[in-house]
Amino acid sequence: MTNKFPQRSHCPINYALESFGDKWTLLIIRDLMFNDKQSYGDFLASGEKISTNILADRLKRLEELGIVTKGAQAPNRSKVAYSLTQKGRDLLPIMLEITRWSGKYDADTYASRSFLMRLEQDRDKLIAAIRAGW
Amino acid sequence: MTNKFPQRSHCPINYALESFGDKWTLLIIRDLMFNDKQSYGDFLASGEKISTNILADRLKRLEELGIVTKGAQAPNRSKVAYSLTQKGRDLLPIMLEITRWSGKYDADTYASRSFLMRLEQDRDKLIAAIRAGW
DNA sequence: ACATACACTTGCAAAATGCAAGTATCGTGC
DNA sequence: GCACGATACTTGCATTTTGCAAGTGTATGT
């Protein structure tokens, strides 16, 4: 059987690109990681206006890649709750370094001064603190 | 005049995605940062087989974003030499965290054991060492 | 002057995306 | 047990982006 996700190479940068190298996937991961979102409707409501078919496609893909899991949290609730797996949570350092870079170069960044300060001054503690909340 | 690069939001993750959130851009940055490549032909020769029109487009875009500069290094040489600006070099921590993540989850990763070890054990020194070479 | 190398451009087919509308399933109120 | 709203998708089609092959322009080397 041929692989569903053909790979161009096993370069680590390329592996990451083939996992989440598009304009939408990291936004879903951001919402799961930092914004307490977990449902399809939550993701749809994000500021960047992802369209429904793309969202469904990306969620499916993230599940197949083992970055996200889908589960009905409370048993008698119909609402689907997505959450990050360990593989997904391990994206935290990448997300934080991206935030740092954008915080430095986007004059109008939404990232708060205080968060960027913490990131700059004690990245490792910040990571530990976030992980402690998981 | 309307902006050439419309932005969906100033979320730091989104800012990064709009800068390099596609399947090819980071590969060019990788080649500039780690593989001593600097010419159009060098990038074309990379393992992932980027096509010529996409390469030209991305190089132009990276220049416009101030991540890469284009200059004929030696004066009487026709070969164009691209290089990273400070903004581009500041992507190093992101690139390294990506490498770490892929190194952990891609069983067939090209990243060397020893490099991943160094990254795991003393990330900050590794960054400093690479920066010292610039 | 001619060939070659390099850095792109162009044209067209194929794939991915954006948008609007429709469907499926569940839980709740009656 | 049945209508209803809420949630989570799916579908169809127009637009945009990508991939591929071929062509063009400009140096430099001989």
Side-chain angles (χ1 to χ4, degrees):
Chain A
M1 92 192 201
T2 56
N3 197 320
K4 183 165 187 186
F5 301 123
Q7 299 193 321
R8 299 179 297 190
S9 84
H10 281 282
C11 160
I13 301 300
N14 187 57
Y15 177 81
L17 288 174
E18 305 206 337
S19 299
F20 50 79
D22 71 279
K23 292 236 174 267
W24 297 107
T25 300
L26 279 189
L27 296 181
I28 298 171
I29 291 168
R30 168 201 66 184
D31 285 346
L32 284 165
M33 194 174 276
F34 301 115
N35 299 339
D36 284 318
K37 301 194 173 186
Q38 43 180 18
S39 73
Y40 186 92
D42 289 342
F43 305 134
L44 266 190
S46 286
E48 292 87 3
K49 306 297 173 201
I50 188 170
S51 56
T52 56
N53 53 347
I54 303 290
L55 176 56
D57 177 81
R58 294 307 186 277
L59 284 171
K60 183 165 153 252
R61 190 151 205 284
L62 282 170
E63 235 196 308
E64 289 168 341
L65 290 170
I67 291 172
V68 154
T69 43
K70 178 185 190 168
Q73 219 76 310
N76 53 355
R77 198 98 184 65
S78 76
K79 217 169 172 178
V80 178
Y82 291 92
S83 61
L84 292 170
T85 62
Q86 184 60 42
K87 188 176 179 181
R89 286 192 291 268
D90 279 341
L91 293 169
L92 176 62
I94 298 175
M95 299 298 274
L96 291 179
E97 292 298 348
I98 287 176
T99 300
R100 169 142 63 171
W101 184 83
S102 296
K104 180 169 178 182
Y105 289 105
D106 181 6
D108 302 319
T109 189
Y110 286 171
S112 78
R113 237 352 133 88
S114 65
F115 188 83
L116 290 174
M117 210 77 136
R118 262 179 97 189
L119 189 49
E120 209 59 54
Q121 286 172 1
D122 204 341
R123 182 194 104 110
D124 291 346
K125 261 196 186 114
L126 178 55
I127 289 180
I130 294 172
R131 286 188 169 145
W134 286 342
Chain B
M1 91 189 203
T2 57
N3 198 321
K4 184 164 186 186
F5 300 122
Q7 298 193 320
R8 298 179 297 190
S9 85
H10 282 282
C11 160
I13 300 300
N14 187 56
Y15 177 82
L17 288 174
E18 304 205 338
S19 298
F20 51 79
D22 71 279
K23 290 234 174 271
W24 297 106
T25 300
L26 279 188
L27 296 180
I28 299 172
I29 291 168
R30 169 202 64 185
D31 285 346
L32 284 164
M33 194 174 273
F34 301 115
N35 299 339
D36 284 317
K37 301 194 174 187
Q38 44 180 18
S39 72
Y40 186 92
D42 288 342
F43 305 132
L44 266 190
S46 286
E48 292 87 2
K49 306 296 173 201
I50 188 169
S51 56
T52 57
N53 52 348
I54 303 291
L55 176 56
D57 177 80
R58 295 306 187 277
L59 285 170
K60 183 165 153 251
R61 190 151 205 284
L62 282 170
E63 235 196 309
E64 289 168 340
L65 290 170
I67 291 172
V68 154
T69 43
K70 178 184 190 168
Q73 219 75 312
N76 53 356
R77 197 95 184 68
S78 76
K79 215 168 173 177
V80 179
Y82 291 91
S83 61
L84 292 170
T85 62
Q86 184 59 42
K87 187 175 179 182
R89 286 193 290 269
D90 279 342
L91 293 169
L92 176 63
I94 298 175
M95 299 299 273
L96 291 179
E97 291 298 349
I98 288 176
T99 300
R100 168 142 62 172
W101 184 82
S102 296
K104 179 169 179 182
Y105 289 104
D106 181 6
D108 301 320
T109 189
Y110 286 171
S112 78
R113 237 354 130 86
S114 65
F115 188 84
L116 290 174
M117 211 76 137
R118 262 178 96 190
L119 188 48
E120 209 60 53
Q121 287 173 0
D122 204 341
R123 183 195 102 109
D124 292 345
K125 262 199 185 113
L126 178 55
I127 289 180
I130 293 173
R131 286 189 168 143
W134 286 342

